[in-house]
Amino acid sequence: MLTISKTYDEFFRKTKKERLVLLKGGRRSGKTYALFFRFLALAENGSGGLFLLTAPTYPILGKLVADFRDITKKEPRGTKDGGFTAIHFNGIFRFETFENAQKARGVKCKDLWINEASGFEKEIYDELTFGVERQIFCDYNPNVKFWASNLENDNNCLTTTFRDNKYLTLEQITHFEEVERKGMNA
């Protein structure tokens, strides 16, 4: 059973009514698994509906599809050009990229997750948000300034590190601590 750290759990409870939820985290900080946990919990305990997961490029989206497959043991169906869909619990999980704002126009969903949002065009974000019924989640690296930086506030943004990822191995933790000790960006 997938669970998340106390840090993420408390943050998701606190931001339940926020329209926009931002997760800034370094490499291996657990953002992806935490957001999958959030979406799967919504699908299992909620009224169902469409959850849209998107990324700025197909290779990044492909990693999200692979993580979904690893976590749920379900294989999303579809094509690179048409997107991928999977049903899990009471939710429909739609994985799709948008090469321009026109393609994003008219898209509707319960919740939206923009993975690696710092590479996502603001115009596409603006189009997609019109069709979101409940919440918008964005994750990205904390050392990048882009359109979401202007939307951050004390309530809707969480910054995490590798210490917030309870799934790291001892070897991975040791590596990140060494990187941190040397003054590099962990």
Side-chain angles (χ1 to χ4, degrees):
M1 174 68 179
L2 180 68
T3 60
I4 57 173
S5 71
K6 184 178 178 183
T7 301
Y8 285 113
D9 186 48
E10 288 175 354
F11 179 68
F12 288 142
R13 290 175 194 277
K14 180 183 107 173
T15 58
K16 221 168 24 175
K17 299 205 186 265
E18 292 286 332
R19 173 79 171 152
L20 177 63
V21 178
L22 304 170
L23 292 178
K24 297 191 311 184
R27 225 174 94 217
R28 305 297 295 170
S29 64
K31 304 179 304 286
T32 300
Y33 270 60
L35 281 165
F36 267 121
F37 178 87
R38 177 71 175 141
F39 273 53
L40 291 169
L42 287 170
E44 184 176 17
N45 301 317
S47 59
L50 179 66
F51 301 103
L52 178 60
L53 295 80
T54 188
T57 66
Y58 178 75
I60 296 171
L61 187 71
K63 291 177 185 175
L64 269 185
V65 171
D67 286 340
F68 179 85
R69 185 183 313 112
D70 289 345
I71 292 166
T72 65
K73 308 301 182 223
K74 294 203 173 179
E75 184 68 45
R77 303 212 184 277
T79 65
K80 177 181 174 180
D81 294 331
F84 297 89
T85 303
I87 296 174
H88 194 69
F89 297 124
N90 295 318
I92 300 166
F93 290 78
R94 178 82 180 146
F95 299 84
E96 189 171 356
T97 59
F98 300 90
E99 63 266 358
N100 57 53
Q102 180 65 32
K103 186 176 177 194
R105 191 163 291 146
V107 172
K108 295 182 190 256
C109 61
K110 282 264 191 190
D111 294 282
L112 170 66
W113 172 5
I114 301 173
N115 182 242
E116 301 296 346
S118 59
F120 210 79
E121 292 180 29
K122 174 76 162 74
E123 294 78 21
I124 298 172
Y125 167 83
D126 289 340
E127 284 298 333
L128 289 175
T129 59
F130 287 124
V132 178
E133 186 178 315
R134 211 171 17 210
Q135 284 186 295
I136 302 155
F137 297 85
C138 297
D139 72 76
Y140 49 96
N141 194 298
N143 62 358
V144 176
K145 295 281 185 208
F146 68 109
W147 53 263
S149 304
N150 299 328
L151 304 173
E152 294 176 14
N153 63 49
D154 293 337
N155 297 322
N156 75 348
C157 187
L158 175 68
T159 303
T160 57
T161 70
F162 68 93
R163 288 183 178 81
D164 298 297
N165 185 348
K166 67 186 219 169
Y167 292 103
L168 292 181
T169 65
L170 182 57
E171 182 180 325
Q172 290 170 316
I173 292 169
T174 302
H175 168 75
F176 282 115
E177 287 174 342
E178 180 66 17
V179 167
E180 187 177 64
R181 188 186 65 71
K182 289 180 178 178
M184 299 162 66
N185 183 7

